[in-house]
Amino acid sequence: MSKYQKWTVLFCLLMSASLIFGQAAKTVFTYAPLTGWILGAIFCILAIITAIKAY
C-alpha cells in the first residue's frame, strides 16, 4: 500500500468512528450528533482528497 492509500483508510475509519461516537453520545451531549456528522464530513473530504492523490 502506498502512503496515500494508508491515509485514505485511516480517514475512512475516523469518519466511521466520529459518526458512531456522535450517535452514541447524544444522551450525554446535546450536539453530539451534529458534531459527529461535521467531523465525519471533514474526514470524508480528506479521504476523498487522499484517494485522488493515491490514484
Side-chain angles (χ1 to χ4, degrees):
M1 289 179 79
S2 74
K3 173 177 71 170
Y4 292 115
Q5 289 173 332
K6 291 178 186 177
W7 279 106
T8 302
V9 171
L10 177 68
F11 286 138
C12 287
L13 289 172
L14 287 172
M15 177 185 63
S16 300
S18 67
L19 292 175
I20 291 170
F21 178 74
Q23 293 302 314
K26 65 182 169 184
T27 58
V28 178
F29 179 52
T30 307
Y31 295 107
L34 180 64
T35 306
W37 279 102
I38 290 171
L39 282 174
I42 291 169
F43 288 134
C44 182
I45 291 169
L46 290 172
I48 290 170
I49 291 169
T50 56
I52 291 171
K53 287 183 179 180
Y55 181 69

